Amino acid sequence: MGWRSAIGRGVWLLVIVLMAIGATGCRDRNDWHQKLTVVVDTPSGQVSGSSVVEVKSWFGQIPPSTNEVSYKIRGEATVVEVLPGRYLFALLGGSKERYYWAVRDELPTQNRGKWLKLIPKMSTVAILEPKNHGYPMLVTFRDINDPKSVREVDPLNLSATFGPGVSLDEITLEITDEPVTEGQIGKLLGWWLKQAKDNRDPPAFGVPNQSPRGYTTVGILEFVRGIDWRQE
């Protein structure tokens, strides 16, 4: 009976795999490029930075998972040189549905399967708000070459980090045909990327916060996703 049971389990696993493969082919796929732009007011005038990220979505369940949708992100964090040698990074976390949350009041439907089809065709340049999944996490380095100098930046009080006269003007998000941005993070944080050993990521940053632990962990996927960032 043992070998029969083993065969039975093997057949059942094969059925599940085949069902998953078949279901994958039936899922709705929608892709788009979205451009995040950060504009900052400084004593010397406005400065800005942009990054284009690709979002791929698949809608529809794959047995035995109960997930309705899955995403894949490719791109880099947005970088702004606020002051000479002082940089602001808008991280990638939350990128997958950020445009939806920004324009959802304009959409004729809140059905996810339907609005995923609509987003690639939209032309609205959304001005993000600090609430309702709006702003990405913002960080900076007091010394761009020192991992221990990383700090989270309050989007409503940039002057506390960068000094008097510096404030966030706006963060916008739009659908675009522009290519995915590559290379910005490597130019600024190449010293960090070089710390990756074998197939392991470089060590995550510990960004101080008010939690009981005293910091939040920010890893490579907040800065780069889906792009070959490994240094030679």
Side-chain angles (χ1 to χ4, degrees), residues 114-189:
K114 293 181 179 179
W115 61 251
L116 284 170
K117 293 180 179 179
L118 293 174
I119 283 181
K121 305 172 185 176
M122 295 193 68
S123 59
T124 299
V125 178
I127 299 176
L128 303 186
E129 301 293 340
K131 57 184 180 179
N132 295 331
H133 308 272
Y135 284 175
M137 181 178 180
L138 305 177
V139 302
T140 190
F141 296 81
R142 292 176 180 172
D143 178 348
I144 193 63
N145 296 308
D146 181 3
K148 294 182 179 180
S149 72
V150 65
R151 294 292 185 273
E152 185 170 3
V153 177
D154 181 354
L156 303 181
N157 189 13
L158 264 63
S159 62
T161 301
F162 294 100
V166 178
S167 62
L168 180 65
D169 182 70
E170 66 178 12
I171 302 178
T172 63
L173 190 63
E174 60 187 301
I175 305 303
T176 181
D177 293 328
E178 295 178 36
V180 171
T181 302
E182 299 187 30
Q184 293 186 139
I185 300 302
K187 289 178 182 178
L188 294 173
L189 300 178

Side-chain angles (χ1 to χ4, degrees), residues 94-106:
S95 295
K96 58 189 181 182
E97 291 189 352
R98 180 165 283 119
Y99 188 77
Y100 159 73
W101 286 101
V103 302
R104 62 176 179 163
D105 291 340
E106 298 182 26

Side-chain angles (χ1 to χ4, degrees), residues 13-179:
L13 289 173
L14 179 60
V15 169
I16 292 176
V17 171
L18 291 175
M19 288 175 62
I21 293 173
T24 302
C26 296
R27 302 179 87 197
D28 288 334
R29 175 174 165 178
N30 294 281
D31 306 346
W32 62 88
H33 286 192
Q34 58 188 38
K35 182 178 182 179
L36 184 81
T37 300
V38 180
V39 182
V40 176
D41 292 321
T42 79
S44 301
Q46 281 193 341
V47 292
S48 65
S50 299
S51 183
V52 177
V53 169
E54 178 185 59
V55 181
K56 294 182 179 180
S57 70
W58 292 265
F59 182 78
Q61 290 185 5
I62 297 180
S65 171
T66 58
N67 293 336
E68 181 182 55
V69 63
S70 59
Y71 297 96
K72 182 177 289 187
I73 304 297
R74 183 169 66 93
E76 298 187 347
T78 301
V79 184
V80 183
E81 188 171 13
V82 176
L83 300 170
R86 294 292 309 279
Y87 298 90
L88 179 68
F89 297 82
L91 303 186
L92 291 173
S95 295
K96 58 189 181 182
E97 291 189 352
R98 180 165 283 119
Y99 188 77
Y100 159 73
W101 286 101
V103 302
R104 62 176 179 163
D105 291 340
E106 298 182 26
L107 295 169
T109 176
Q110 296 303 306
N111 177 280
R112 181 185 264 124
K114 293 181 179 179
W115 61 251
L116 284 170
K117 293 180 179 179
L118 293 174
I119 283 181
K121 305 172 185 176
M122 295 193 68
S123 59
T124 299
V125 178
I127 299 176
L128 303 186
E129 301 293 340
K131 57 184 180 179
N132 295 331
H133 308 272
Y135 284 175
M137 181 178 180
L138 305 177
V139 302
T140 190
F141 296 81
R142 292 176 180 172
D143 178 348
I144 193 63
N145 296 308
D146 181 3
K148 294 182 179 180
S149 72
V150 65
R151 294 292 185 273
E152 185 170 3
V153 177
D154 181 354
L156 303 181
N157 189 13
L158 264 63
S159 62
T161 301
F162 294 100
V166 178
S167 62
L168 180 65
D169 182 70
E170 66 178 12
I171 302 178
T172 63
L173 190 63
E174 60 187 301
I175 305 303
T176 181
D177 293 328
E178 295 178 36

